Amino acid sequence: MTKMKLCSTNANPAIQPSTPQVGIYECEVTLKFRLIEEELAQCDRDQLLQILIDAYSYGSDNYLEPLQADVRVQEVAELDASPEMRRQVIRLRNAGGLK
């Protein structure tokens, strides 16, 4: 079972915490849909991924039929992340204290 984290926003900026709550998350998105498109097999992997994400983000229409969407988000320990990601988290936390 995956630990799910719900996103929430607070419209009143005066109630926002002074230090941003920054974490590292592992995200998995599974999308299944049918799409009418020309020559997708000719695209390289990055091109294909961008085309598919763009098509899905526009929503259902005569050319796209969504079948399934599954999203999993799990916070991971900072020590499990790369050194680059850990440094970026430290930068973000430090920048939040300067405002």
Side-chain angles (χ1 to χ4, degrees):
M1 184 170 175
T2 306
K3 176 183 170 187
M4 298 298 287
K5 183 164 181 81
L6 298 176
C7 298
S8 63
T9 59
N10 193 331
N12 187 345
I15 300 175
Q16 294 292 327
S18 60
T19 306
Q21 299 299 317
V22 178
I24 299 173
Y25 297 89
E26 189 171 288
C27 307
E28 179 180 338
V29 178
T30 304
L31 300 174
K32 185 173 183 179
F33 54 94
R34 293 189 179 115
L35 176 69
I36 298 173
E37 187 66 53
E38 293 179 25
E39 300 186 27
L40 284 180
Q42 305 301 321
C43 298
D44 66 30
R45 182 179 176 267
D46 291 336
Q47 227 179 355
L48 178 60
L49 184 58
Q50 188 61 51
I51 290 169
L52 294 175
I53 290 172
D54 287 346
Y56 194 82
S57 67
Y58 290 127
S60 182
D61 59 17
N62 291 334
Y63 300 97
L64 185 128
E65 178 183 18
L67 301 173
Q68 177 184 351
D70 186 29
V71 178
R72 292 188 185 99
V73 178
Q74 179 176 353
E75 189 168 10
V76 296
E78 289 180 24
L79 293 175
D80 292 338
S82 68
E84 294 82 12
M85 287 196 89
R86 291 195 303 265
R87 282 193 291 274
Q88 186 64 21
V89 167
I90 291 168
R91 283 186 202 109
L92 289 168
R93 287 180 182 148
N94 289 340
L98 298 174
K99 291 181 181 178

